[in-house]
Amino acid sequence: GDSVTQMEGPVTLSEEAFLTINCTYTATGYPSLFWYVQYPGEGLQLLLKATKADDKGSNKGFEATYRKETTSFHLEKGSVQVSDSAVYFCALSGSHGSGNTGKLIFGQGTTLQVKP
Amino acid sequence: NAGVMQNPRHLVRRRGQEARLRCSPMKGHSHVYWYRQLPEEGLKFMVYLQKENIIDESGMPKERFSAEFPKEGPSILRIQQVVRGDSAAYFCASSPQENSPLHFGNGTRLTVT
């Protein structure tokens, strides 16, 4: 079945460092891809998304490009801040043409810790 | 516009008791999803409901778990005869229509002692 694999955390960086969190997926169709962020004690917030190959999603300085050839959707940010410390989840949906992007398959999450 | 409201935030139950988790979707949202997050894992889809209808319950355990979304009032996730393995964070999400992005609540953290 469909699945999402993320790099294991925690990822610890100094402020202003470059961030990459790897995400690869397995899907039989053409899924939409998402990155969600979860701050401590809160629910998930949609960070960015891409719905087709070569699309680039971006938001708040984060970006990710839908790479069909490598089945990847890596999250990047050029200069992280302490406030970016959170758990980041990669997810996919809609690979079977159902069109329902609410039924998401999540990766296990990657904890990011940014130190001043 | 209030976000997705879940209550309680924390729920402690002894083995064998019942747990009821409530979710009020955002105003204007008629699609509700429940997800479960076990410790150190990502969220797993449980059930998708629209008003008064269960659309997809493929992620819901066959026994002890049920969900409803009545015409009036919040969506309820009910777990009967809880066991320690039910301890998890349960998240509700809502959307105004099927292909819209989800808005998540802050979750209910269930602890079974």
Side-chain angles (χ1 to χ4, degrees), chain B residues 46-89:
Chain B
M46 298 181 75
V47 61
Y48 163 40
L49 311 102
Q50 293 179 30
K51 280 288 186 182
E52 299 184 275
N53 291 306
I54 296 174
I55 307 301
D56 183 343
E57 56 182 347
S58 58
M60 194 102 97
K62 294 285 186 283
E63 297 179 355
R64 302 189 297 107
F65 285 72
S66 62
E68 63 178 15
F69 188 16
K71 188 177 179 181
E72 302 289 338
S75 176
I76 305 286
L77 179 67
R78 182 181 177 208
I79 311 172
Q80 294 177 291
Q81 299 174 330
V82 296
V83 300
R84 288 228 172 97
D86 296 333
S87 296

Side-chain angles (χ1 to χ4, degrees), chain A residues 31-34 36 49 51 92-94 98-105, chain B residues 33 35 95 97-102:
Chain A
S32 295
L33 300 173
F34 306 83
Y36 281 82
K49 66 175 183 178
T51 57
L92 69 79
S93 74
S98 69
N100 184 354
T101 56
K103 186 177 178 182
L104 295 162
I105 296 171
Chain B
Y33 301 79
Y35 284 81
S95 67
Q97 54 195 28
E98 191 172 288
N99 293 323
S100 299
L102 299 185

Side-chain angles (χ1 to χ4, degrees), chain B residues 1 25-31 94-97:
Chain B
N1 188 9
M26 286 183 69
K27 188 176 180 181
H29 288 196
S30 59
H31 298 246
S94 72
S95 67
Q97 54 195 28

